[in-house]
mmCIF file of all heavy atoms in Angstrom:
data_model
loop_
_atom_site.group_PDB
_atom_site.id
_atom_site.type_symbol
_atom_site.label_atom_id
_atom_site.label_comp_id
_atom_site.label_asym_id
_atom_site.label_seq_id
_atom_site.Cartn_x
_atom_site.Cartn_y
_atom_site.Cartn_z
ATOM 1 N N HIS J 928 138.348 63.178 104.674
ATOM 2 C CA HIS J 928 137.336 63.841 103.941
ATOM 3 C C HIS J 928 136.608 64.872 104.829
ATOM 4 O O HIS J 928 136.180 64.495 105.963
ATOM 5 C CB HIS J 928 136.319 62.904 103.332
ATOM 6 C CG HIS J 928 135.117 63.621 102.719
ATOM 7 N ND1 HIS J 928 135.295 64.526 101.686
ATOM 8 C CD2 HIS J 928 133.797 63.480 102.962
ATOM 9 C CE1 HIS J 928 134.073 64.997 101.358
ATOM 10 N NE2 HIS J 928 133.138 64.415 102.157
ATOM 11 N N ILE J 929 136.513 66.092 104.336
ATOM 12 C CA ILE J 929 135.733 67.126 105.013
ATOM 13 C C ILE J 929 134.395 67.220 104.364
ATOM 14 O O ILE J 929 134.290 67.549 103.185
ATOM 15 C CB ILE J 929 136.422 68.492 104.997
ATOM 16 C CG1 ILE J 929 137.800 68.420 105.664
ATOM 17 C CG2 ILE J 929 135.560 69.569 105.652
ATOM 18 C CD1 ILE J 929 138.584 69.683 105.535
ATOM 19 N N PRO J 930 133.302 66.849 105.061
ATOM 20 C CA PRO J 930 131.960 66.836 104.431
ATOM 21 C C PRO J 930 131.557 68.152 103.789
ATOM 22 O O PRO J 930 131.830 69.231 104.398
ATOM 23 C CB PRO J 930 131.036 66.459 105.629
ATOM 24 C CG PRO J 930 131.922 65.750 106.570
ATOM 25 C CD PRO J 930 133.246 66.400 106.458
ATOM 26 N N GLN J 931 130.968 68.120 102.661
ATOM 27 C CA GLN J 931 130.502 69.298 101.912
ATOM 28 C C GLN J 931 129.225 68.928 101.181
ATOM 29 O O GLN J 931 129.247 68.160 100.255
ATOM 30 C CB GLN J 931 131.544 69.809 101.001
ATOM 31 C CG GLN J 931 131.171 71.161 100.370
ATOM 32 C CD GLN J 931 132.365 71.805 99.578
ATOM 33 O OE1 GLN J 931 133.492 71.252 99.635
ATOM 34 N NE2 GLN J 931 132.092 72.852 98.905
ATOM 35 N N VAL J 932 128.104 69.506 101.623
ATOM 36 C CA VAL J 932 126.830 69.150 101.053
ATOM 37 C C VAL J 932 126.562 69.832 99.712
ATOM 38 O O VAL J 932 126.775 71.100 99.634
ATOM 39 C CB VAL J 932 125.692 69.465 102.068
ATOM 40 C CG1 VAL J 932 124.318 69.127 101.433
ATOM 41 C CG2 VAL J 932 125.869 68.675 103.346
ATOM 42 N N ASN J 933 126.113 69.144 98.716
ATOM 43 C CA ASN J 933 125.682 69.732 97.483
ATOM 44 C C ASN J 933 124.629 70.790 97.725
ATOM 45 O O ASN J 933 123.631 70.520 98.330
ATOM 46 C CB ASN J 933 125.136 68.621 96.564
ATOM 47 C CG ASN J 933 124.659 69.112 95.209
ATOM 48 O OD1 ASN J 933 123.811 69.950 95.124
ATOM 49 N ND2 ASN J 933 125.238 68.539 94.199
ATOM 50 N N PRO J 934 124.819 72.022 97.232
ATOM 51 C CA PRO J 934 123.863 73.098 97.532
ATOM 52 C C PRO J 934 122.415 72.831 97.099
ATOM 53 O O PRO J 934 121.502 73.196 97.772
ATOM 54 C CB PRO J 934 124.442 74.332 96.806
ATOM 55 C CG PRO J 934 125.896 74.009 96.616
ATOM 56 C CD PRO J 934 125.962 72.513 96.442
ATOM 57 N N GLU J 935 122.321 72.173 95.940
ATOM 58 C CA GLU J 935 120.938 71.845 95.428
ATOM 59 C C GLU J 935 120.276 70.813 96.300
ATOM 60 O O GLU J 935 119.083 70.929 96.639
ATOM 61 C CB GLU J 935 121.032 71.338 93.976
ATOM 62 C CG GLU J 935 121.507 72.403 93.031
ATOM 63 C CD GLU J 935 121.573 71.930 91.597
ATOM 64 O OE1 GLU J 935 121.162 70.782 91.364
ATOM 65 O OE2 GLU J 935 122.003 72.684 90.716
ATOM 66 N N VAL J 936 121.008 69.829 96.730
ATOM 67 C CA VAL J 936 120.452 68.801 97.624
ATOM 68 C C VAL J 936 120.069 69.407 98.984
ATOM 69 O O VAL J 936 119.161 69.056 99.635
ATOM 70 C CB VAL J 936 121.396 67.606 97.768
ATOM 71 C CG1 VAL J 936 120.752 66.513 98.672
ATOM 72 C CG2 VAL J 936 121.710 66.987 96.402
ATOM 73 N N GLN J 937 120.918 70.348 99.398
ATOM 74 C CA GLN J 937 120.641 71.044 100.655
ATOM 75 C C GLN J 937 119.320 71.773 100.677
ATOM 76 O O GLN J 937 118.636 71.757 101.713
ATOM 77 C CB GLN J 937 121.762 72.123 100.921
ATOM 78 C CG GLN J 937 121.613 72.882 102.184
ATOM 79 C CD GLN J 937 121.712 72.063 103.486
ATOM 80 O OE1 GLN J 937 122.156 70.908 103.437
ATOM 81 N NE2 GLN J 937 121.296 72.667 104.599
ATOM 82 N N GLN J 938 118.867 72.268 99.513
ATOM 83 C CA GLN J 938 117.529 72.878 99.439
ATOM 84 C C GLN J 938 116.481 71.886 99.699
ATOM 85 O O GLN J 938 115.471 72.141 100.443
ATOM 86 C CB GLN J 938 117.315 73.554 98.049
ATOM 87 C CG GLN J 938 118.167 74.782 97.809
ATOM 88 C CD GLN J 938 117.692 75.958 98.698
ATOM 89 O OE1 GLN J 938 118.358 76.281 99.686
ATOM 90 N NE2 GLN J 938 116.593 76.578 98.328
ATOM 91 N N SER J 939 116.652 70.662 99.176
ATOM 92 C CA SER J 939 115.671 69.610 99.453
ATOM 93 C C SER J 939 115.700 69.179 100.916
ATOM 94 O O SER J 939 114.674 68.933 101.503
ATOM 95 C CB SER J 939 115.956 68.392 98.552
ATOM 96 O OG SER J 939 115.751 68.686 97.181
ATOM 97 N N ILE J 940 116.876 69.153 101.484
ATOM 98 C CA ILE J 940 116.977 68.805 102.934
ATOM 99 C C ILE J 940 116.291 69.846 103.823
ATOM 100 O O ILE J 940 115.559 69.459 104.717
ATOM 101 C CB ILE J 940 118.480 68.680 103.312
ATOM 102 C CG1 ILE J 940 119.113 67.467 102.605
ATOM 103 C CG2 ILE J 940 118.652 68.568 104.828
ATOM 104 C CD1 ILE J 940 120.642 67.411 102.733
ATOM 105 N N LEU J 941 116.445 71.107 103.448
ATOM 106 C CA LEU J 941 115.751 72.146 104.211
ATOM 107 C C LEU J 941 114.296 72.104 103.991
ATOM 108 O O LEU J 941 113.516 72.400 104.970
ATOM 109 C CB LEU J 941 116.301 73.522 103.777
ATOM 110 C CG LEU J 941 117.744 73.879 104.190
ATOM 111 C CD1 LEU J 941 118.219 75.159 103.529
ATOM 112 C CD2 LEU J 941 117.876 73.986 105.704
ATOM 113 N N THR J 942 113.820 71.762 102.822
ATOM 114 C CA THR J 942 112.382 71.629 102.563
ATOM 115 C C THR J 942 111.724 70.589 103.447
ATOM 116 O O THR J 942 110.701 70.790 104.026
ATOM 117 C CB THR J 942 112.146 71.319 101.088
ATOM 118 O OG1 THR J 942 112.654 72.339 100.255
ATOM 119 C CG2 THR J 942 110.645 71.166 100.840
ATOM 120 N N LEU J 943 112.445 69.431 103.571
ATOM 121 C CA LEU J 943 111.917 68.408 104.471
ATOM 122 C C LEU J 943 112.016 68.819 105.921
ATOM 123 O O LEU J 943 111.141 68.506 106.695
ATOM 124 C CB LEU J 943 112.721 67.077 104.180
ATOM 125 C CG LEU J 943 112.280 65.895 105.033
ATOM 126 C CD1 LEU J 943 110.847 65.497 104.792
ATOM 127 C CD2 LEU J 943 113.211 64.663 104.707
ATOM 128 N N GLU J 944 113.046 69.510 106.296
ATOM 129 C CA GLU J 944 113.197 70.011 107.627
ATOM 130 C C GLU J 944 112.120 70.961 108.048
ATOM 131 O O GLU J 944 111.588 70.887 109.122
ATOM 132 C CB GLU J 944 114.607 70.679 107.746
ATOM 133 C CG GLU J 944 114.990 71.086 109.140
ATOM 134 C CD GLU J 944 116.359 71.694 109.222
ATOM 135 O OE1 GLU J 944 117.285 71.152 108.573
ATOM 136 O OE2 GLU J 944 116.522 72.725 109.916
ATOM 137 N N LYS J 945 111.724 71.845 107.127
ATOM 138 C CA LYS J 945 110.620 72.777 107.318
ATOM 139 C C LYS J 945 109.342 72.023 107.621
ATOM 140 O O LYS J 945 108.641 72.354 108.597
ATOM 141 C CB LYS J 945 110.422 73.676 106.123
ATOM 142 C CG LYS J 945 109.298 74.618 106.221
ATOM 143 C CD LYS J 945 109.042 75.429 104.894
ATOM 144 C CE LYS J 945 108.392 74.553 103.825
ATOM 145 N NZ LYS J 945 107.889 75.286 102.670
ATOM 146 N N TYR J 946 109.054 71.016 106.878
ATOM 147 C CA TYR J 946 107.883 70.150 107.044
ATOM 148 C C TYR J 946 107.898 69.480 108.387
ATOM 149 O O TYR J 946 106.887 69.488 109.138
ATOM 150 C CB TYR J 946 107.836 69.160 105.916
ATOM 151 C CG TYR J 946 106.737 68.084 105.996
ATOM 152 C CD1 TYR J 946 105.419 68.389 105.693
ATOM 153 C CD2 TYR J 946 107.003 66.818 106.435
ATOM 154 C CE1 TYR J 946 104.404 67.451 105.774
ATOM 155 C CE2 TYR J 946 106.019 65.855 106.554
ATOM 156 C CZ TYR J 946 104.726 66.177 106.237
ATOM 157 O OH TYR J 946 103.733 65.227 106.340
ATOM 158 N N ARG J 947 109.013 68.863 108.762
ATOM 159 C CA ARG J 947 109.065 68.071 109.986
ATOM 160 C C ARG J 947 109.010 69.005 111.203
ATOM 161 O O ARG J 947 108.399 68.606 112.266
ATOM 162 C CB ARG J 947 110.360 67.235 109.996
ATOM 163 C CG ARG J 947 110.254 66.064 109.043
ATOM 164 C CD ARG J 947 111.548 65.220 109.043
ATOM 165 N NE ARG J 947 111.301 63.967 108.328
ATOM 166 C CZ ARG J 947 112.288 63.148 107.970
ATOM 167 N NH1 ARG J 947 113.561 63.394 108.287
ATOM 168 N NH2 ARG J 947 111.996 62.023 107.344
#
Side-chain angles (χ1 to χ4, degrees):
H928 171 59
I929 300 174
Q931 187 171 353
V932 178
N933 179 302
E935 293 180 4
V936 182
Q937 179 64 15
Q938 288 292 103
S939 292
I940 293 171
L941 289 172
T942 300
L943 181 57
E944 187 178 317
K945 178 187 73 168
Y946 173 79
R947 286 180 170 169

